[in-house]
Amino acid sequence: MIYFDFAATTPLDPEAAEVYVKAATDFFGNSSSLHDVGSQATTLLEHCRAELASLLGIDPTSLYFTSGGSEGNFLAIEALLSAKEKAGKHIIAGIAEHSSIYGVLNRLEKEGFEITWLPFTSDGIIDLDQLLRAIRPDTVLLCIQHVNSEIGTIQPIEEIGRACREHKILFHSDFVQSFGKIEIRQFIPFLTSFSFSGHKIYGPKGVGGVYIQPGVAWHSFFPGTSHEKGLRPGTINVPGIAAMATAAQKIVQSIPENFLKFQQLREQFFKTLEPIKDHIVVYQASENSQLPHIIGMRIIGIEGQWMMLECNRLGYAISTGSACSMGLQAPSKAVQALGVGNDAAKGFFRISFGQHTTTDEVVRLASGIVRIVEEFTKSTIKKKQEVMLE
């Protein structure tokens, strides 16, 4: 099986795996314990915090470790709302946000908050004019995902952040798909908080982090919690954090190299699909606003679930959207945000490359898709002819 679902999760980097085992074996103490074994774990934990903060260009005291991106989104939103700068219960968010954002905001809506959901433009970008029109005097929080996990479009964080600053609105962004894929340091000054996850960057599952801007006077959602300065309960996963820090150092150093490689793989993929180009719809932005390793698309007249199963039969693992929403029957949120009708939305599927994906693998996948579409077309024509002869 050749894997093309790296936007869902990545394999654990071998070096990160070695670090995990060593940390779990030699630094197994609870980092909250006061004895020497606990102190050794604490020393490693704070070293990792400093290393990751250096990669991100942030103050180490503003970095908190979590169990992943979903928890990071939850904790960040709750922390910001506990420290909002003005009175109000209006929140603005994108329709295509991750399911973890939806979960928090849907609960807040039941508690009296009003949510304005912003769609995408036809190229998968938030319309800044529409965002500005949505801002009200009682708008206290804005949540916009940096990179969409289903189609790979990159949102204009700097422009959004400036608008938030002008209107005293706290700004949280889900950076799970952008951390390690593009340089994010330049955007952090325009954010109040952001989240990231280890398993998207060849680190382990069950570990991630959240940044909260220094000076934000947040209060813990969980009273009496002592871990991570009261942000979350539960023993800190020091081995997972150490492995994530190792993976992060490696992938951040490789951002330019990987980005160029993914651009070339994307070009080769579509070049190989030329024989069926009239059957393809690709959901993407311009090159400057698009992560090249994520391809969201559909084949006209073919359901995405069927395409995924056919590719799986041929030995290629692709996806029909965000792995965190796979149990739901609704169309992908990105396609909904684009205003695509339900019938067309059912055709959506996603292909995503990883740092070890080869040109040969991409050509083989694209060639396989061409064969699937050609066989489907022949079968459809044959059925129509049989119906006509009856």
Side-chain angles (χ1 to χ4, degrees), residues 142-174:
L142 191 145
C143 299
I144 298 291
Q145 186 182 45
H146 188 196
V147 170
N148 182 265
S149 64
E150 296 177 309
I151 60 175
T153 50
I154 306 171
Q155 302 306 323
I157 293 296
E158 183 174 341
E159 290 85 347
I160 295 172
R162 289 184 189 280
C164 288
R165 186 181 298 167
E166 180 181 347
H167 295 275
K168 294 184 178 180
I169 299 170
L170 301 174
F171 181 18
H172 172 71
S173 187
D174 177 342

Side-chain angles (χ1 to χ4, degrees), residues 1-13 149-150 176-179 181 197-203 205 251 261-262 265 291 293-295 316-319 321-323 350-358 361-362 365:
M1 178 68 68
I2 302 176
Y3 189 70
F4 287 99
D5 199 15
F6 290 89
T9 194
T10 58
L12 183 59
D13 177 83
S149 64
E150 296 177 309
V176 167
Q177 291 292 342
S178 54
F179 179 43
K181 313 303 191 312
S197 180
H199 76 104
K200 305 291 189 180
I201 59 168
Y202 303 87
K205 295 175 177 62
I251 199 169
K261 173 186 174 178
F262 294 145
L265 291 178
L291 268 194
H293 78 288
I294 297 178
I295 299 173
Y316 307 113
I318 68 169
S319 168
S322 172
R350 179 187 69 188
I351 291 161
S352 48
F353 308 139
Q355 58 187 13
H356 299 301
T357 303
T358 66
E361 290 172 340
V362 168
L365 169 63

Side-chain angles (χ1 to χ4, degrees), residues 22-58:
K22 183 171 179 58
T25 304
D26 298 343
F27 299 88
F28 62 87
N30 188 322
S31 59
S32 295
S33 298
L34 300 180
H35 47 61
D36 286 353
V37 178
S39 296
Q40 290 172 353
T42 301
T43 298
L44 176 59
L45 173 67
E46 296 310 319
H47 173 75
C48 293
R49 195 188 309 274
E51 287 294 319
L52 279 164
S54 178
L55 284 178
L56 294 165
I58 61 176

